Amino acid sequence: MRVTAQEVVTYLTEPAGDLESRIDRIIAGTPEAEVRGIGVAFIASHDVVLEAIRLGVNLLVTHEGAFYSHQEEQGFAPEDPVHAAKRKLIESDDMIIYRFHDHPHSYRPDIITAGLIEALGWEEEEHRDLGTASVVRLPQSRRLSDIAEHVKQKLNLPYLRAVGDPETVCGQIGVAVGYRGGGQHAIPLFEQERLDLMIIGEGPEWETLEYVRDAAAQGRAKALLMLGHAASEEPGMKLISERLAGRFPGLPVHFIPTGSMIEIL
Amino acid sequence: MRVTAQEVVTYLTEPAGDLESRIDRIIAGTPEAEVRGIGVAFIASHDVVLEAIRLGVNLLVTHEGAFYSHQEEQGFAPEDPVHAAKRKLIESDDMIIYRFHDHPHSYRPDIITAGLIEALGWEEEEHRDLGTASVVRLPQSRRLSDIAEHVKQKLNLPYLRAVGDPETVCGQIGVAVGYRGGGQHAIPLFEQERLDLMIIGEGPEWETLEYVRDAAAQGRAKALLMLGHAASEEPGMKLISERLAGRFPGLPVHFIPTGSMIEIL
């Protein structure tokens, strides 16, 4: 049975209701094109596009875009050879790329956050969806260093960035994916939700991080774990790929990992 | 001889000319107060304020502020106990805090960038000030891994965050301190300045980082080193402390290190 890119987009966007988004759109290719297979990834990196081509899929559904800018239309430097070579690669293979960012964050609960909580093995623990974050209550409080080991193992990460004493005992945990680690969003949650720990994607270094450092310097048991933007949102996209496979059983659906974005030297 | 906080501020702001800044101001204390000693730091963290008290100084000159927000007036959560305890500490000791951010970046050359280049031992190499960044030409190209070792040793850092192949050979290096690692600023510089490597403070993870990852995936020799916001701007504040010591020989002037902001677990 013939499936168009538009049918896949319609399936993906429906749970978010009548959301208007200027971010979520087909950034390469056309909605009428027939889909031969679907690749799902955190970001449309050069390597992800190459892997999609290798897998023979022609629709890429990615949370972040292809050209290094959130409002991406032209990116920051469309004449740049890196940008131009990537556009050429995408066009040469008639790859359709659908940017799927605001809609998944508007599912209730946010499916990107839900995917992370599931990947952490915490979906059976007491947790509450706040819209832009979730609060998880561990049945038993644990040391930050133990929680960090758990997170690394569950998400298969070589390291985590951390603020706070590794011995801090944490039970009430805020989870804020992507760029939601900024101070305006994250700092008030510590007090409002009586958090011991926040697990974030990323955020400016001297907002939430400095708040937590100061809290620790004042003898308060507070801590922060930074997964990185990709690691925090990738599990949600994996969940999306599983739903797509269930809805379109006639199509090959592949989740394509992004790989490590930042190495430690 | 009596020195007021205002006299120190006047000395610090003069080289920036007629700059109007709503960021740079006395955020605690009064300009008329007599200065007993000066502490200079990257940020007015709780530990830095405690150290200033211990050292007996009553004027803190810091690049970033005290309350976790760039436009800081109230911070994001002034009722928060961490915020409140810090304000109480500052007020209990009549500490004067002068936020010195826009002015040093408006020195020509930017003294925060110049401080980093000097700390890296590159002030004798060929380099050019672009205003918001500098370009350093190494006399001999070196592998990324060797440059990373050099940077860690010179700045006394336990690790660096990196993007790109450690074997990448780099000779033309862009240096962009603080939050100037974002895509809008940093991405066009790679092509305009024929950069092999950028050394940045911080920036959103999927702008410049993804550009460099894609460039590397396309076989271009490009790389990125992230020092962290504090490590990139602290040497500039150390240079400021040396100038203050020269200008006010009757006053104790102490540079106060911030310590590590982010641990790797």
Side-chain angles (χ1 to χ4, degrees):
Chain A
M1 216 180 67
R2 198 176 173 275
V3 176
T4 65
Q6 185 56 54
E7 284 173 71
V8 176
V9 169
T10 301
Y11 168 72
L12 286 171
T13 52
E14 264 174 357
D18 281 335
L19 181 71
E20 288 287 325
S21 168
R22 300 203 302 182
I23 300 295
D24 292 14
R25 58 188 190 80
I26 291 177
I27 61 172
T30 58
E32 302 80 23
E34 181 173 354
V35 176
R36 292 193 313 270
I38 307 173
V40 181
F42 164 67
I43 192 164
S45 69
H46 199 87
D47 280 339
V48 162
V49 175
L50 284 176
E51 179 65 6
I53 293 170
R54 197 190 67 77
L55 291 164
V57 304
N58 69 330
L59 171 61
L60 254 180
V61 176
T62 64
H63 190 62
E64 307 297 3
F67 296 111
Y68 330 117
S69 158
H70 187 65
Q71 269 81 14
E72 93 162 17
E73 201 73 54
Q74 294 299 318
F76 292 124
E79 306 304 321
D80 185 280
V82 177
H83 188 130
K86 189 168 189 184
R87 182 161 289 287
K88 196 172 162 197
L89 173 72
I90 292 165
E91 288 174 356
S92 72
D93 208 77
D94 289 330
M95 187 65 68
I96 310 157
I97 301 182
Y98 175 59
R99 175 93 187 273
F100 184 55
H101 182 277
D102 294 351
H103 285 85
H105 283 311
S106 298
Y107 284 29
R108 286 296 163 263
D110 178 331
I111 193 170
I112 304 295
T113 306
L116 177 57
I117 288 172
E118 188 180 311
L120 290 170
W122 291 344
E123 76 280 21
E124 300 300 324
E125 311 302 357
E126 185 188 331
H127 64 278
R128 208 152 31 83
D129 170 39
L130 307 175
T132 53
S134 279
V135 177
V136 176
R137 175 82 228 163
L138 296 185
Q140 205 157 9
S141 293
R142 299 169 66 188
R143 293 184 312 155
L144 176 64
S145 56
D146 292 337
I147 295 173
E149 278 312 308
H150 172 87
V151 170
K152 281 157 67 174
Q153 185 242 314
K154 286 288 186 184
L155 303 183
N156 194 28
L157 299 174
Y159 69 88
L160 292 176
R161 286 168 270 168
V163 181
D165 184 342
E167 297 298 314
T168 310
V169 174
C170 307
Q172 186 89 340
I173 304 174
V175 176
V177 300
Y179 208 85
R180 290 172 175 167
Q184 189 155 18
H185 176 248
I187 290 175
L189 291 180
F190 272 97
E191 185 64 10
Q192 282 164 27
E193 303 295 332
R194 302 276 162 194
L195 303 180
D196 309 313
L197 167 65
M198 276 201 84
I199 297 179
I200 67 169
E202 64 165 323
E205 288 182 10
W206 74 266
E207 295 182 358
T208 310
L209 283 69
E210 274 298 299
Y211 169 86
V212 173
R213 274 209 327 145
D214 270 8
Q218 292 173 6
R220 299 169 207 272
K222 305 239 178 273
L224 186 75
L225 290 176
M226 275 163 283
L227 307 181
H229 201 126
S232 76
E233 302 204 308
E234 196 159 48
M237 292 306 285
K238 190 153 190 285
L239 197 51
I240 294 287
S241 75
E242 291 160 11
R243 292 201 180 176
L244 283 169
R247 171 62 185 79
F248 299 103
L251 287 177
V253 178
H254 299 275
F255 173 70
I256 305 175
T258 302
S260 176
M261 291 177 76
I262 305 177
E263 307 292 332
I264 297 295
L265 291 185
Chain B
M1 213 181 68
R2 196 175 174 276
V3 176
T4 64
Q6 185 56 52
E7 283 172 72
V8 177
V9 169
T10 300
Y11 168 71
L12 286 171
T13 52
E14 263 175 358
D18 282 335
L19 182 70
E20 288 286 324
S21 168
R22 301 203 301 183
I23 301 295
D24 292 14
R25 56 187 191 81
I26 291 177
I27 62 173
T30 58
E32 301 79 23
E34 181 173 353
V35 176
R36 293 193 310 272
I38 307 174
V40 181
F42 165 66
I43 191 164
S45 70
H46 198 88
D47 280 339
V48 162
V49 175
L50 284 176
E51 179 64 6
I53 293 170
R54 198 190 66 77
L55 290 165
V57 304
N58 70 331
L59 171 62
L60 255 179
V61 176
T62 66
H63 190 61
E64 306 296 4
F67 297 111
Y68 329 118
S69 157
H70 187 64
Q71 269 82 14
E72 91 164 18
E73 200 73 53
Q74 293 299 319
F76 292 125
E79 306 306 319
D80 185 281
V82 177
H83 187 129
K86 189 169 190 183
R87 182 162 288 287
K88 195 171 161 197
L89 173 72
I90 292 166
E91 288 173 356
S92 71
D93 208 77
D94 289 331
M95 187 65 69
I96 311 158
I97 301 182
Y98 176 59
R99 175 93 186 272
F100 183 55
H101 183 276
D102 294 351
H103 285 85
H105 284 311
S106 296
Y107 283 29
R108 285 294 164 263
D110 178 330
I111 193 171
I112 304 294
T113 306
L116 178 57
I117 288 173
E118 187 180 312
L120 289 170
W122 291 344
E123 78 279 19
E124 300 299 325
E125 310 302 357
E126 184 188 330
H127 64 278
R128 206 152 31 85
D129 170 38
L130 305 175
T132 53
S134 279
V135 177
V136 175
R137 175 82 227 165
L138 296 185
Q140 204 157 11
S141 294
R142 298 169 66 187
R143 293 183 313 156
L144 176 63
S145 55
D146 293 337
I147 295 172
E149 279 312 308
H150 172 86
V151 170
K152 281 157 66 174
Q153 186 242 312
K154 286 289 186 182
L155 303 183
N156 193 26
L157 299 174
Y159 69 87
L160 292 176
R161 286 169 268 167
V163 181
D165 184 341
E167 298 297 315
T168 310
V169 174
C170 307
Q172 186 88 342
I173 304 175
V175 176
V177 300
Y179 208 84
R180 290 173 175 166
Q184 190 155 17
H185 176 248
I187 290 175
L189 291 180
F190 272 97
E191 185 64 9
Q192 282 162 26
E193 302 296 331
R194 302 277 163 195
L195 302 179
D196 309 314
L197 166 65
M198 275 200 85
I199 297 179
I200 67 169
E202 64 165 323
E205 289 182 8
W206 74 265
E207 294 181 358
T208 311
L209 283 69
E210 273 298 299
Y211 170 86
V212 172
R213 273 204 335 140
D214 271 9
Q218 292 173 8
R220 299 170 207 270
K222 305 237 178 275
L224 186 75
L225 291 176
M226 273 163 284
L227 307 181
H229 200 125
S232 75
E233 302 203 308
E234 197 159 47
M237 291 306 285
K238 190 152 189 287
L239 197 50
I240 294 288
S241 75
E242 291 159 11
R243 292 201 179 176
L244 282 169
R247 170 64 184 77
F248 299 101
L251 287 176
V253 177
H254 298 276
F255 172 72
I256 305 175
T258 302
S260 175
M261 291 179 75
I262 305 176
E263 306 292 332
I264 297 296
L265 292 184

